[in-house]
């Protein structure tokens, strides 16, 4: 909800700025003839392809495509004769990537291009992009990604949000922990000024060689995989390599963070499965937004997918802060009531129902 997609649209020439201008080598993109040197790949490939055209026609809209790209992206020859509605999202995204990587492409803007795809397809696509960046003499290192994170611009109030909420929780007798679950890159998040506030960061990441050069997608996080990390927090199994304990049966009273003691805050469609899960198990789901995407979050509220919607204003005294404080008060009160019930049952020699 920070405007990433809008910025990409502006940079790629899909939208015009309301003020100022965007130049490439001192020239507006509209002055370039033929394929645009700035290409964009969208999160939802089905919306980027004409449903009335066979995929071969869509593939060559911007000019000829190298055969090696089709092979590297595992695009099957028989797919070329099909229409978009006949292929999966992962298969369609391969066409979008091949189409965008023409010989004149100098900049490639990727708008969460694998967030809605299965983990295997995610890994294959990112492995291809790593190899292609190296082939085009555009390699990068882990340090490069961390450095990018240092320039992240935060929403108002985020910088001291954690200190304020932690202090409020402590005043209520509640220990507050913060986690981040993202389809973005862990390394960029680690470079941000708030990375130290999180007990754990769950995000996509690469495996690196001894020089910090990425060699393989180590972890790919999509919209369904996000729910796995909520379960990890719930059970206290934070190590992503420990699947045995994650999948083992565990009594509810042994779970480290019960769902009713969780608040999930999200700003995109990839957060919806976690939001729905949170509501189903007694937690709270909050969607934050900017004015440009308010209709989308209003729809989430109307359909019962979230409990609350708020502008992305984390400053002291904001409506978002007040509601989070109320939820923490509710958690504290519920715990006190449970403890009083347990004390009374114990005093009469009764059994505690868990």
């Amino acid at each position: 909800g920070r405007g990433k997609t809008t910025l990409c649209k502006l940079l790629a020439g899909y939208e015009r700025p309301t003020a100022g201008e965007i130049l490439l080598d001192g020239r507006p993109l509209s002055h370039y003839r033929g394929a645009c040197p700035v290409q964009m790949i969208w999160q939802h490939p089905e919306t980027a392809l004409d449903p009335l055209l066979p995929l071969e026609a869509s593939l060559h809209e911007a000019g000829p495509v190298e055969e090696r790209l089709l092979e590297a992206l595992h695009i099957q020859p028989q797919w070329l004769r099909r229409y978009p509605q006949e292929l999966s999202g992962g298969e369609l995204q391969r066409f979008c990537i091949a189409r965008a990587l023409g010989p004149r492409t100098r900049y490639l803007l990727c708008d969460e291009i694998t967030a809605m795809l299965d983990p295997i397809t995610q890994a294959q696509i990112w492995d291809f992009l790593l190899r292609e960046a190296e082939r085009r003499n555009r390699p990068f290192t882990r340090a490069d990604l961390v450095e990018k994170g240092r320039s992240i611009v935060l929403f108002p109030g985020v910088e001291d949000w954690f200190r304020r909420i932690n202090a409020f929780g402590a005043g209520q007798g509640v220990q507050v922990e913060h986690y981040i679950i993202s389809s973005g890159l862990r390394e960029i998040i680690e470079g941000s000024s708030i990375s130290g506030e999180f007990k754990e960061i769950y995000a996509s990441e690469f495996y690196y060689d001894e020089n910090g050069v990425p060699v393989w997608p180590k972890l790919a996080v999509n919209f369904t995989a996000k729910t796995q990390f909520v379960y990890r927090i719930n059970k206290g199994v934070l190590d992503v390599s420990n699947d045995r304990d994650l999948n083992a049966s565990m009594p509810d009273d042994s779970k480290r963070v019960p769902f009713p003691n969780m608040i999930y805050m999200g700003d995109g469609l990839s957060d919806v499965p976690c939001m729905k899960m949170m509501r189903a198990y007694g937690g709270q789901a909050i969607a934050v937004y900017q004015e440009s995407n308010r209709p989308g979050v209003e729809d989430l509220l109307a359909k019962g997918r979230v409990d609350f919607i708020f502008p992305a204003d984390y400053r002291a005294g904001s409506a978002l802060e007040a509601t989070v404080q109320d939820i923490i008060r509710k958690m504290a009160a519920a715990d006190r009531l449970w403890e009083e019930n347990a004390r009374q049952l114990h005093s009469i020699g009764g059994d505690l129902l868990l």
Side-chain angles (χ1 to χ4, degrees):
R2 190 62 170 148
K4 299 183 295 294
T5 299
T6 301
L7 176 61
C8 286
K9 289 179 180 178
L10 289 166
L11 294 175
Y14 286 98
E15 292 188 5
R16 294 183 178 180
T18 54
E21 55 183 347
I22 297 172
L23 306 176
L24 176 60
D25 295 335
R27 300 163 57 195
L29 287 181
S30 59
H31 288 197
Y32 287 84
R33 295 291 175 259
C36 180
V38 181
Q39 290 290 320
M40 181 173 176
I41 305 175
W42 307 78
Q43 184 180 51
H44 299 280
E46 64 276 8
T47 64
L49 295 162
D50 190 331
L52 302 180
L53 289 180
L55 287 163
E56 184 171 22
S58 293
L59 184 66
H60 297 291
E61 281 181 317
V65 175
E66 296 178 74
E67 188 66 29
R68 68 170 188 86
L69 293 177
L70 305 186
E71 294 176 2
L73 285 163
H74 307 289
I75 294 176
Q76 305 301 313
Q78 60 269 28
W79 295 354
L80 298 172
R81 299 185 296 273
R82 297 181 182 175
Y83 290 83
Q85 59 269 29
E86 298 179 290
L87 270 66
S88 70
E91 291 163 348
L92 294 178
Q93 195 66 293
R94 297 168 194 266
F95 278 91
C96 293
I97 294 171
R99 180 176 62 176
L101 288 173
R104 296 188 59 189
T105 300
R106 293 170 54 191
Y107 299 93
L108 187 65
L109 308 177
C110 300
D111 183 20
E112 296 191 42
I113 62 173
T114 60
M116 308 301 284
L117 306 181
D118 66 89
I120 293 177
T121 302
Q122 282 184 308
Q124 290 175 342
I125 287 177
W126 281 113
D127 180 57
F128 163 77
L129 289 173
L130 287 176
R131 304 286 83 78
E132 188 66 17
E134 187 176 8
R135 186 181 185 279
R136 296 184 181 225
N137 198 29
R138 294 288 189 274
F140 61 90
T141 65
R142 190 183 195 285
D144 294 331
L145 295 176
V146 173
E147 186 60 32
K148 299 294 184 189
R150 304 196 195 286
S151 61
I152 289 178
V153 178
L154 302 172
F155 282 117
V158 169
E159 201 78 53
D160 63 341
W161 165 267
F162 306 94
R163 177 188 57 78
R164 287 185 281 109
I165 294 300
N166 291 349
F168 180 84
Q172 298 291 317
V174 174
Q175 178 184 342
V176 179
E177 295 176 349
H178 306 270
Y179 299 80
I180 188 164
I181 304 174
S182 173
S183 297
L185 289 174
R186 179 189 179 100
E187 295 82 358
I188 293 179
I189 297 170
E190 287 180 347
S192 71
S193 61
I194 59 172
S195 62
E197 304 288 353
F198 301 105
K199 184 175 180 67
E200 188 57 75
I201 296 172
Y202 294 115
S204 301
E205 59 181 312
F206 295 109
Y207 172 77
Y208 299 88
D209 66 15
E210 63 277 7
N211 298 315
V213 176
V215 295
W216 180 255
K218 178 181 177 182
L219 179 64
V221 178
N222 67 358
F223 67 110
T224 54
K226 284 187 173 185
T227 58
Q228 171 202 150
F229 303 115
V230 175
Y231 278 116
R232 288 190 178 279
I233 297 166
N234 170 238
K235 289 187 169 185
V237 185
L238 304 185
D239 182 356
V240 295
S241 65
N242 186 357
D243 288 336
R244 184 190 65 180
D245 290 341
L246 175 65
N247 294 315
S249 177
M250 181 181 291
D252 285 343
D253 61 313
S254 298
K255 293 176 179 175
R256 184 174 180 275
V257 185
F259 280 108
N261 289 358
M262 290 188 182
I263 305 173
Y264 189 97
M265 300 169 65
D267 68 350
L269 289 177
S270 64
D271 294 305
V272 171
C274 288
M275 291 173 169
K276 289 181 64 179
M277 183 178 77
M278 197 59 56
R279 296 201 73 222
Y281 290 123
Q284 302 286 318
I286 299 175
V288 294
Y289 65 88
Q290 292 191 106
E291 281 305 317
S292 60
N293 69 331
R294 182 183 174 106
V297 297
E298 288 179 343
D299 185 62
L300 293 178
L301 182 64
K303 292 181 177 177
R305 293 182 167 187
V306 298
D307 295 291
F308 308 101
I309 61 173
F310 291 105
D313 181 358
Y314 295 79
R315 288 173 291 191
S318 66
L320 173 59
E321 183 187 63
T323 297
V324 169
Q325 289 177 346
D326 283 343
I327 295 172
I328 292 174
R329 289 191 186 97
K330 176 184 173 183
M331 292 176 182
D335 277 353
R336 288 194 297 270
L337 291 172
W338 184 90
E339 290 170 358
E340 177 63 18
N341 175 257
R343 186 192 66 76
Q344 292 186 12
L345 283 171
H346 180 74
S347 69
I348 64 173
D351 293 326
L352 178 62
L353 298 178
L354 298 176

